């Protein structure tokens, strides 16, 4: 599939000083990590969020929740960054100010080389004490879930569950980036989960040029300056090529 990048968009981007990107699970879809809400293939088409991704669920059936995350960890361990992740790492090098806010918990942006990034919903590979919140690296993995070696409480993955707060530092930084950027990208997200989706709203209200990359229509699509319908792994490399062409023209 060939992705068409509007010339006006590359012109606007080439003039931008500050770019902010919000990504969602669609960016990792082509790495084999399932999305949440896609019909048939999304995780929430097969599982109930309230049975697996809440503190109440963990208290009710800690073993079920731990095992489900162990299964997802296995998928993530097998996954490699795709061209969308690599293109975003390249994009970071092209602007004086660049920030990436990801709802993804798979670590693939960092594996591709992204540096200034916020893990808005945590990281599935990290393990924390469910009571104290501290990161635990060594534990007895034979139990399900394993006990905290310090206090004996259960261990859990370091992800934000429904009903839990986003880390304050991450939220404050994300709000600052979204409200001060020239161009804001929403990529591979259905924009249905708050407060992440609100960052796009904030950028629109702050006057940013809003770009969406998604094969499907979303809640944001009618409000954006540019909606590019396609897969991130095709559209983003095409965007980088177009932008490099524009920068070359400017130098000549
Ligand atoms: P969703 O599953 O809600 O949305 C994924 C989006 O990716 C959809 O709009 C798809 O159309 C799009 N998509 C699918 N394949 C794509 C591709 N190859 N390229 C680009 N886009 C593609 O996932 P999120 O928006 O990430 O929260 O969901 C947000 C949060 O809801 C997640 O972080 C998770 C979930 O519950 C927590 O776990 C706290």
């Amino acid at each position: 599939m060939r992705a068409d990048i509007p010339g006006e968009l590359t012109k606007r981007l080439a003039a931008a000083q500050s770019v902010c990107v919000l990504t969602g699970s669609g960016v990792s879809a082509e790495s084999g990590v399932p999305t949440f809400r896609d019909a048939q293939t999304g995780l929430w088409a097969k599982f109930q969020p309230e049975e697996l991704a809440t503190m109440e669920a963990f208290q009710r059936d800690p073993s079920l929740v731990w095992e489900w995350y162990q299964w997802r960890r296995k998928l993530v361990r097998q996954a490699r960054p795709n061209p969308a992740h690599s293109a975003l790492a390249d994009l970071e090098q092209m602007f004086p100010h660049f920030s990436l806010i990801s709802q993804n918990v798979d670590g693939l942006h960092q594996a591709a080389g992204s540096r200034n990034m916020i893990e808005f919903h945590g990281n599935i590979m990290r393990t924390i004490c469910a009571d104290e919140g501290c990161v635990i690296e060594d534990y007895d993995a034979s139990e399900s879930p394993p006990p905290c070696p310090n206090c004996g409480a259960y261990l859990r993955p370091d992800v934000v569950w429904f009903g839990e707060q986003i880390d304050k530092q991450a939220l404050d930084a994300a709000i600052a980036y979204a409200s001060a950027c020239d161009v804001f990208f929403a990529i591979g997200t259905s924009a249905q989960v708050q407060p992440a989706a609100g960052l796009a709203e904030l950028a629109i209200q702050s006057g940013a040029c809003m770009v969406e990359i998604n094969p499907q229509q979303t809640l944001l699509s009618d409000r954006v300056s540019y909606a590019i319908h396609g897969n991130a792994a095709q559209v983003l490399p095409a965007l980088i090529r177009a932008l490099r062409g524009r920068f070359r023209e400017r130098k000549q």
Side-chain angles (χ1 to χ4, degrees):
M1 190 191 81
R2 217 182 121 254
D4 284 324
I5 308 299
E8 270 302 311
L9 169 59
T10 33
K11 199 169 155 191
R12 198 131 175 211
L13 252 185
Q17 292 296 304
S18 169
V19 172
C20 181
V21 178
L22 172 69
T23 62
S25 57
V27 167
S28 294
E30 281 155 284
S31 294
V33 183
T35 63
F36 291 92
R37 292 175 186 77
D38 281 308
Q40 315 295 332
T41 55
L43 289 173
W44 298 152
K46 302 189 190 108
F47 305 100
Q48 296 290 326
E50 58 278 9
E51 280 171 23
L52 294 161
T54 62
M55 182 45 97
E56 292 71 28
F58 187 60
Q59 283 163 343
R60 199 167 46 236
D61 195 340
S63 182
L64 174 78
V65 172
W66 176 261
E67 290 302 326
W68 188 67
Y69 278 95
Q70 289 297 88
W71 169 71
R72 285 184 55 202
R73 282 175 165 180
K74 200 168 148 203
L75 292 181
V76 166
R77 243 180 244 118
Q78 291 162 353
R80 298 289 168 268
N82 67 52
H85 297 105
S86 306
L88 287 170
D90 289 345
L91 203 62
E92 180 165 3
Q93 304 304 317
M94 298 167 91
F95 297 94
H97 304 285
F98 182 92
S99 49
L100 174 59
I101 304 157
S102 187
Q103 297 167 88
N104 300 346
V105 295
D106 54 30
L108 291 176
H109 284 302
Q110 297 93 316
S114 285
R115 291 292 164 257
N116 190 24
M117 93 148 277
I118 296 175
E119 287 180 322
F120 208 65
H121 288 164
N123 187 309
I124 196 170
M125 302 311 285
R126 249 185 341 252
T127 299
I128 55 172
C129 169
D131 260 12
E132 293 165 343
C134 50
V135 175
I136 302 290
E137 293 191 349
D138 286 324
Y139 55 85
D140 175 6
S142 64
E143 295 199 57
S144 170
C148 172
N150 302 330
C151 71
Y154 286 136
L155 297 182
R156 56 166 280 186
D158 187 9
V159 296
V160 178
W161 282 332
F162 289 100
E164 293 185 325
Q165 302 285 319
I166 304 293
D167 171 78
K168 187 176 177 330
Q169 232 184 324
L171 182 61
D172 289 349
I175 289 173
Y177 290 137
S179 54
C181 64
D182 302 317
V183 180
F184 186 98
F185 284 88
I187 308 175
T189 177
S190 62
Q192 289 188 41
V193 172
Q194 296 294 352
L199 297 170
E201 289 298 329
L202 182 61
I204 293 174
Q205 282 161 20
S206 307
C209 166
M210 170 68 64
V211 187
E212 179 178 64
I213 300 174
N214 198 310
Q216 307 287 337
Q217 188 82 358
T218 74
L219 296 175
L220 280 178
S221 305
D222 289 337
R223 320 240 350 256
V224 303
S225 317
Y226 300 95
I228 305 179
H229 291 294
N231 292 340
Q234 268 111 39
V235 174
L236 280 166
L239 180 81
I240 296 284
R241 284 193 296 277
L243 195 54
R244 288 202 171 122
R246 178 71 65 172
F247 283 139
R248 265 197 305 275
E249 272 170 28
R250 241 182 18 191
K251 273 195 195 147
Q252 283 162 5

